């Protein structure tokens, strides 16, 4: 369970902070799950409810606010109080890529990027790997990437 979300304007990435240590296997599972929901292109609805009504709706995290809450409902997946900007469908988010994790205040901080920012981050990492390897090694890396990504999608 993550306790805090923030956007890092310096590197155009987002962070999630947890109060406990999050193993990489759990991070990878969450990344897979998030991308699955994106690729399913689920509707995202905005609803309004009192704090009391919202508490009985099965929100992921109880809100500390009172009065009328703005709820973001990702169909059959998540219900959260949030006043930010949101997409109409999850598919508009694009790829979600975890860029790294670090220890933070006794827990974990996960840095991630979405959509075009995720693609840009991938290109930076790919170019850094390519620049640090010899041409002969690049061919091995290319085969490993092709094997890991599976057969072509038809």
């Amino acid at each position: 369970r993550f306790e805090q979300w923030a956007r890092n304007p310096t590197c155009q990435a987002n962070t999630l902070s947890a109060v406990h240590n999050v193993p990489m296997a759990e991070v990878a599972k969450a990344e897979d799950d998030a991308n699955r929901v994106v690729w399913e292109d689920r509707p995202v609805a905005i609803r309004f409810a009192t704090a009391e009504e919202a508490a009985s709706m099965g929100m992921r995290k109880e809100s500390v606010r009172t009065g009328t809450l703005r709820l973001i409902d990702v169909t059959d997946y998540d219900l959260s109080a949030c006043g930010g900007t949101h997409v109409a469908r999850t598919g508009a988010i694009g790829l979600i890529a975890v860029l790294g994790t670090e220890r933070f205040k006794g827990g974990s901080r996960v840095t991630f990027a979405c959509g075009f920012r995720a693609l840009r981050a991938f290109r930076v990492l790919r170019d850094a790997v390519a620049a640090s390897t010899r041409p002969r090694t690049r061919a091995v890396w290319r085969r490993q990437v092709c094997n890991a990504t599976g057969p072509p999608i038809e």
Side-chain angles (χ1 to χ4, degrees):
R1 176 179 157 183
F2 289 94
E3 298 295 324
Q4 183 180 13
W5 174 88
R7 172 174 228 128
N8 182 335
T10 305
C11 67
Q12 297 295 303
N14 303 295
T15 60
L16 292 169
S17 298
V19 295
H20 65 285
N21 184 33
V22 182
M24 277 308 296
E26 191 176 323
V27 171
K29 183 179 176 188
E31 182 181 43
D32 289 345
D33 189 45
N35 279 294
R36 178 185 53 79
V37 172
V38 166
W39 295 327
E40 290 172 353
D41 197 27
R42 294 178 186 216
V44 178
I46 297 172
R47 299 171 20 188
F48 293 91
T50 66
E52 295 77 27
E53 292 168 336
S56 68
M57 293 178 168
M59 293 193 340
R60 175 172 34 93
K61 182 178 177 183
E62 187 175 331
S63 178
V64 295
R65 296 185 182 261
T66 59
T68 301
L69 301 177
R70 181 174 180 258
L71 305 177
I72 306 304
D73 186 0
V74 179
T75 303
D76 298 325
Y77 187 74
D78 185 54
L79 179 65
S80 299
C82 185
T85 304
H86 293 274
V87 297
R89 300 190 67 87
T90 58
I93 296 168
L95 173 69
I96 300 172
V98 171
L99 306 178
T101 63
E102 62 185 315
R103 290 185 180 172
F104 179 71
K105 295 184 179 179
S108 295
R109 175 179 280 168
V110 177
T111 301
F112 68 99
C114 303
F116 188 68
R117 289 181 177 126
L119 178 60
R120 275 196 312 225
F122 166 76
R123 288 177 178 159
V124 167
L125 293 171
R126 178 198 58 208
D127 294 348
V129 169
S132 68
T133 61
R134 295 179 299 192
R136 180 171 42 139
T137 308
R138 284 189 208 148
V140 171
W141 179 78
R142 196 174 303 118
R143 279 194 305 276
Q144 289 172 337
V145 168
C146 289
N147 289 339
T149 57
I153 299 173
E154 298 182 26

